[in-house]
Amino acid sequence: MKKLTFIIALIATTLSGYSQNNNNVDAPAPIMQSKFSIGFKGGYGHSTIMPFTHATFCPSWDAGIAAVYAPAIHWGVEADVLYSEEGVNYKYRNSGDETYHTKQIYLDYIRIPVKAVYFFRDYEKDFRPKIAVGPSMGFLVNEVGSNGAASFDFGATGLVGFNYRIAKAVWINVDAVYYQGLLDTYDNRSSNELNSKMRLDE
């Protein structure tokens, strides 16, 4: 009986000491918001030139650097510098020809989109959805399959996406991006033809 009483007392003392030690452990430091971040960015999707008829899927990609300045918990500004391959794939038929032919136009730009970003949820959360919108400037650096494309392009970019934290100050960004040009792609044509693209960026 004395041995049993001693064992029970020993266990109770051990558990008590363990509980007190756990209660004395300091809480982890809160995650502080980083106001400025920079990283690589790349995307893939579809581009076209509106209103080309019989347009088909045109592979399109971009790659570059993205920087975000977020002085507030939910608001920030993002600026990118991207090499962007765009253009259009379309089918055409010559007069008197019953067969359609396929042609692709490549237009490569250095694009600089600047966006106002709204982040949902607090910074401490690992998963943060976001929306963004803003202007985008494009400077033509290469043209294949056509002549006379304007050297400067301007339009609006919008996106929906999310940031997911995988480590302290390390995030994965996934965005569904849409760009709509507002200036005529070709200066030497009477009709208005506007760049447009949809991409998934990471």
Side-chain angles (χ1 to χ4, degrees):
M1 185 67 178
K2 289 182 179 181
K3 290 183 179 180
L4 180 59
T5 304
F6 174 76
I7 293 172
I8 293 173
L10 181 61
I11 293 174
T13 303
T14 303
L15 291 176
S16 176
Y18 176 80
S19 175
Q20 290 176 5
N21 288 338
N22 275 354
N23 290 337
N24 291 333
V25 172
D26 293 334
I31 299 176
M32 301 301 293
Q33 179 177 356
S34 175
K35 293 184 178 181
F36 181 79
S37 62
I38 189 169
F40 294 104
K41 186 174 188 177
Y44 181 81
H46 163 72
S47 69
T48 189
I49 300 176
M50 303 170 62
F52 269 57
T53 57
H54 305 294
T56 60
F57 177 76
C58 180
S60 177
W61 60 269
D62 59 16
I65 297 174
V68 179
Y69 176 67
I73 294 175
H74 296 290
W75 288 98
V77 177
E78 178 180 346
D80 308 335
V81 179
L82 306 169
Y83 189 95
S84 178
E85 182 177 87
E86 304 170 24
V88 62
N89 259 340
Y90 67 96
K91 294 181 179 180
Y92 69 95
R93 187 170 58 184
N94 295 322
S95 177
D97 191 351
E98 296 183 356
T99 303
Y100 278 96
H101 306 277
T102 301
K103 183 175 182 179
Q104 182 163 9
I105 294 173
Y106 294 97
L107 299 175
D108 295 349
Y109 294 90
I110 298 296
R111 284 213 175 271
I112 306 176
V114 180
K115 303 175 288 292
V117 187
Y118 181 83
F119 299 95
F120 297 89
R121 309 184 78 192
D122 293 336
Y123 187 80
E124 293 80 6
K125 305 296 184 181
D126 290 338
F127 178 75
R128 302 188 74 199
K130 64 180 178 179
I131 56 174
V133 65
S136 176
M137 298 174 288
F139 301 90
L140 185 70
V141 294
N142 190 37
E143 177 181 7
V144 178
S146 69
N147 294 299
S151 60
F152 178 74
D153 186 59
F154 180 83
T157 295
L159 68 82
V160 294
F162 65 86
N163 295 353
Y164 184 77
R165 181 171 26 232
I166 58 174
K168 185 176 181 180
V170 180
W171 298 80
I172 292 177
N173 304 321
V174 179
D175 302 325
V177 184
Y178 178 76
Y179 169 77
Q180 178 58 59
L182 301 176
L183 296 181
D184 199 347
T185 306
Y186 293 95
D187 293 330
N188 57 356
R189 299 181 184 178
S190 58
S191 60
N192 287 330
E193 295 167 337
L194 307 176
N195 283 315
S196 178
K197 61 179 181 177
M198 295 174 287
R199 287 185 180 152
L200 188 66
D201 285 353
E202 184 175 346

